[in-house]
Amino acid sequence: MVELEIHKRRYIRQEIPSGKLTANSNANVQGVSGVNTIASNIDEENKRKEESFGFIKEQEQGLINPVTQENIFPSEEQEFLTATEAGLGTTTGQRTTVRPKESFIRRAIHDTQEPIQVSIYSPITTFYGPVTSFLSMIFLPLTVYYLWICVTFHRGRFIYPKNVDEIGVFFRDQLWAPITIYASPSLYTFTIYSLWLLWNLTIHVLAPGPFIEGPLLGDGLFRPVFKLNAYFSMICTACLVTFLHATGLFRLTELYENFGSLLTTSIIYSFFLSLAVFLYTTTLNLTENISGSFIYDFFEGSSISYNRIGKFDFKFWFYLFPGKQFWLLLSVSMALKQIEIYGSVTWTMLLLNIFYFSYSSAMIRNENALPLERDMKNSKLGWFNIWNELVWIPFVYSLHAMYILHNQRPRTENEFELKEEGSWLIYCTVLHFVGYYIWEVAKRQWTYFKERENGIVNASVSEFPNLTVGSVEFPRFIEARNGRRLLAEGCWLICRHLDFTSELIMFYSWGLICGFHSLIPYFIAFIKTLYFIYKDRTEYVDNVQKYGDDWIKYCRLVPYSMVPYIY
């Protein structure tokens, strides 16, 4: 439970001419404990941004709910009548006081100088803790092993003991034996993975690329810079692995053949690199908001702003370089393995690789958006984020391709009858690229807006595909009292998180193209659905604390979170 101290809101009382009732409910909201005050240099930047960029700020009376077509912000008379009908407005002689409606996390205090304590349920603080962090570091890797065993040795069927007497035998023969035999790390896989990390580190540091400024971090004390060459490095990596495979120096199919061993190696590296980052920030006293619990701080991270050496940012590198590109290499290795076994590749495998590439390359190509992302600005770099990038994304996201490799043969039927239906492949392809288009446009609109809000003039993304609708020159927005702006234009006028919805469309299309004989291809989509709902709820709580009544106004303008008319 988070205890917020809400101070008195003073309401301006205004004389009312005879025959007319008006009310001025402009509130002077005092600071909320736990929220950092805005540095003075941010105010100067806001003035500069107003002069430099052409925003159109909608008048409050001009904002219309796109669904109900009603005025979002009523006039003073309407506001008074609404408040009076709700029992929140009072009149005393010729003076009127209006108190706003209570929200679920903040209550307006009238005629009192004393602060009160308001309890807020926060899933972040109630869910995470040392015990949960410790259990997560044990069971999350075991979950990946379990999914790999189900797909590799049981063709996507979930396995479990039939009765209590078989539990011991089940764990020994069905779980422990495959891990020890096929997933034990070796010097060969350690060499492969070490060279892979070294290659990504070297090319990011030495390869050319423009530097861009990110938003102010460290309570507004400094503005970090980031080197943009992830897309260039992906092209160089593709050329390198093509050369190695064509010359026989390293066959890409070996990635699939050593999948289990590489999985264990990446898990070991995730612990090792997490410890290295943790020791770096704690030794140099670069920690921010640590809890004092080693397990929790190791799991969650110890610093938000200072995970860097000079211009090399650890978090930026982990998010873009080793994991997402290794995911593409694993999926390509499975397609090549299918060609090696059967002499050709199925359309399903080919389309899956296209889906993977379009999604992963888009995240890499739009690298200029990453410094502005909430996860980049607000989350720490701990075990969970590093493990997610090194293990979860490459080894779990590629399970669709592994499932197809084990259950589908070109131009023949197998025991699962997983046949290719042309019309079904077309439907799944259309579904994926509809989701991809919406996601790409929404991301670019948001990035374009945030760059100008933060006073950052970066070169627009020019790589294919360059969607011109991804930028709105004069977007509508709501300006909050803290100086921040909430975009209300384009995709962000339809839903507050249309990017979540479009991403889920892509994830479900990956499962649908694999058929309905197993739930494992849908596992990522299920987990992502729960994660996005959880993230939407926690962000709602954070935004009400951050923006106050301005967030409530924004939610009136954009009433739906992820799905129009539904959620």
Side-chain angles (χ1 to χ4, degrees):
M1 305 292 286
V2 179
E3 298 294 326
L4 294 185
E5 188 180 66
I6 309 300
H7 294 273
K8 173 189 174 183
R9 292 183 65 170
R10 296 180 179 273
Y11 296 95
I12 301 175
R13 296 183 176 182
Q14 179 178 353
E15 294 289 344
I16 303 176
S18 60
K20 183 180 180 181
L21 291 178
T22 62
N24 189 338
S25 59
N26 294 328
N28 180 18
V29 182
Q30 301 295 330
V32 179
S33 62
V35 180
N36 295 323
T37 57
I38 301 176
S40 60
N41 56 346
I42 298 180
D43 295 331
E44 297 176 359
E45 288 204 359
N46 288 337
K47 295 179 181 179
R48 177 171 60 84
K49 287 181 287 186
E50 287 287 353
E51 298 173 356
S52 303
F53 302 102
F55 283 109
I56 295 179
K57 181 180 178 182
E58 292 286 332
Q59 298 297 323
E60 288 189 346
Q61 281 76 15
L63 288 174
I64 304 298
N65 187 312
V67 177
T68 63
Q69 299 300 316
E70 296 177 353
N71 196 340
I72 300 299
F73 307 111
S75 65
E76 291 181 346
E77 291 182 359
Q78 292 172 332
E79 184 176 2
F80 174 77
L81 293 175
T82 302
T84 303
E85 292 172 354
L88 300 175
T90 60
T91 58
T92 305
Q94 294 294 321
R95 298 179 183 274
T96 299
T97 302
V98 174
R99 290 183 290 168
K101 298 179 180 181
E102 295 182 1
S103 66
F104 76 99
I105 72 162
R106 185 170 64 179
R107 187 174 60 196
I109 308 304
H110 178 61
D111 290 340
T112 178
Q113 293 283 353
E114 298 179 0
I116 66 167
Q117 299 292 325
V118 179
S119 297
I120 296 178
Y121 171 75
S122 174
I124 296 177
T125 56
T126 55
F127 178 75
Y128 288 122
V131 176
T132 308
S133 301
F134 179 76
L135 294 177
S136 298
M137 288 188 286
I138 294 176
F139 286 102
L140 285 177
L142 292 179
T143 301
V144 181
Y145 279 124
Y146 176 77
L147 294 173
W148 165 67
I149 291 172
C150 290
V151 173
T152 303
F153 302 101
H154 302 277
R155 294 194 169 183
R157 293 186 295 108
F158 286 110
I159 57 174
Y160 49 88
K162 301 299 181 180
N163 52 62
V164 178
D165 298 333
E166 295 181 359
I167 293 179
V169 177
F170 171 80
F171 277 96
R172 184 191 65 199
D173 297 340
Q174 300 295 328
L175 299 180
W176 181 249
I179 293 175
T180 55
I181 297 174
Y182 299 101
S184 297
S186 63
L187 179 61
Y188 180 67
T189 55
F190 261 107
T191 302
I192 293 175
Y193 202 77
S194 299
L195 290 175
W196 169 250
L197 295 179
L198 182 62
W199 162 259
N200 282 274
L201 178 63
T202 303
I203 197 170
H204 179 54
V205 174
L206 300 182
F211 287 90
I212 66 167
E213 291 183 336
L216 289 168
L217 296 178
D219 295 337
L221 298 179
F222 77 100
R223 186 185 291 277
V225 294
F226 301 89
K227 188 177 184 179
L228 302 185
N229 59 3
Y231 193 75
F232 175 78
S233 73
M234 184 179 69
I235 297 175
C236 293
T237 301
C239 295
L240 176 64
V241 297
T242 301
F243 171 78
L244 294 176
H245 182 78
T247 58
L249 296 176
F250 178 79
R251 296 182 304 107
L252 275 180
T253 53
E254 294 186 27
L255 296 180
Y256 164 74
E257 294 165 1
N258 295 276
F259 188 95
S261 184
L262 287 169
L263 170 59
T264 304
T265 304
S266 66
I267 292 174
I268 295 173
Y269 258 107
S270 68
F271 279 92
F272 172 74
L273 294 176
S274 301
L275 182 61
V277 172
F278 180 81
L279 292 177
Y280 171 78
T281 54
T282 54
T283 302
L284 298 182
N285 197 25
L286 301 176
T287 57
E288 296 176 281
N289 302 324
I290 59 174
S291 66
S293 169
F294 171 78
I295 295 177
Y296 177 78
D297 293 332
F298 176 78
F299 176 86
E300 189 72 13
S302 57
S303 179
I304 300 175
S305 310
Y306 304 103
N307 298 295
R308 54 176 42 240
I309 298 177
K311 295 181 179 181
F312 177 75
D313 191 279
F314 305 145
K315 195 189 304 184
F316 187 81
W317 182 77
F318 276 115
Y319 280 7
L320 288 176
F321 283 83
K324 292 179 175 62
Q325 297 186 38
F326 198 68
W327 166 32
L328 295 179
L329 294 182
L330 286 174
S331 62
V332 171
S333 72
M334 295 172 195
L336 293 174
K337 189 66 178 179
Q338 192 177 56
I339 296 175
E340 182 181 291
I341 297 174
Y342 303 113
S344 62
V345 63
T346 62
W347 279 103
T348 307
M349 178 70 78
L350 181 61
L351 288 174
L352 270 175
N353 275 268
I354 294 174
F355 295 170
Y356 289 164
F357 176 78
S358 64
Y359 176 71
S360 181
S361 64
M363 290 189 290
I364 296 173
R365 185 178 65 253
N366 295 309
E367 54 187 319
N368 63 312
L370 183 58
L372 303 170
E373 293 281 355
R374 176 187 288 263
D375 291 341
M376 189 71 180
K377 294 191 299 182
N378 299 336
S379 65
K380 300 176 182 179
L381 182 62
W383 178 89
F384 180 75
N385 284 329
I386 294 176
W387 179 86
N388 178 69
E389 296 297 328
L390 296 184
V391 181
W392 183 264
I393 288 179
F395 291 93
V396 175
Y397 282 25
S398 59
L399 288 179
H400 304 88
M402 181 177 287
Y403 175 78
I404 293 300
L405 175 61
H406 286 267
N407 290 278
Q408 191 177 79
R409 302 173 186 176
R411 297 183 299 274
T412 60
E413 296 184 6
N414 61 13
E415 60 187 271
F416 277 98
E417 297 182 357
L418 188 57
K419 297 181 293 185
E420 290 188 306
E421 298 291 344
S423 58
W424 183 250
L425 295 180
I426 294 175
Y427 296 151
C428 294
T429 302
V430 171
L431 182 64
H432 168 83
F433 282 104
V434 166
Y436 169 79
Y437 179 82
I438 298 172
W439 179 74
E440 179 89 2
V441 171
K443 282 290 186 182
R444 294 201 178 189
Q445 289 177 351
W446 182 87
T447 302
Y448 186 85
F449 177 79
K450 284 298 179 179
E451 284 179 343
R452 280 142 186 80
E453 181 194 15
N454 287 276
I456 303 170
V457 184
N458 295 325
S460 300
V461 179
S462 58
E463 292 86 359
F464 176 83
N466 187 15
L467 305 178
T468 56
V469 294
S471 61
V472 181
E473 290 294 334
F474 303 104
R476 287 181 290 180
F477 65 89
I478 293 178
E479 184 167 10
R481 293 183 179 90
N482 62 4
R484 308 300 293 175
R485 289 162 175 169
L486 299 168
L487 177 61
E489 188 65 76
C491 294
W492 303 92
L493 187 61
I494 301 174
C495 287
R496 298 192 297 272
H497 281 300
L498 197 61
D499 55 332
F500 289 177
T501 308
S502 56
E503 201 165 347
L504 287 177
I505 291 175
M506 288 188 284
F507 287 135
Y508 278 104
S509 70
W510 303 351
L512 290 171
I513 203 171
C514 295
F516 301 97
H517 296 283
S518 173
L519 291 178
I520 289 182
Y522 299 90
F523 179 79
I524 300 174
F526 293 155
I527 295 298
K528 274 289 187 179
T529 302
L530 297 176
Y531 170 72
F532 282 149
I533 294 175
Y534 166 79
K535 189 175 182 180
D536 172 69
R537 299 294 179 87
T538 55
E539 285 187 6
Y540 189 96
V541 174
D542 294 339
N543 287 333
V544 178
Q545 296 179 26
K546 183 177 181 180
Y547 299 110
D549 291 340
D550 298 306
W551 177 254
I552 305 302
K553 292 180 180 180
Y554 178 72
C555 291
R556 293 175 190 165
L557 176 64
V558 189
Y560 299 105
S561 179
M562 294 172 59
V563 183
Y565 301 97
I566 297 177
Y567 176 75

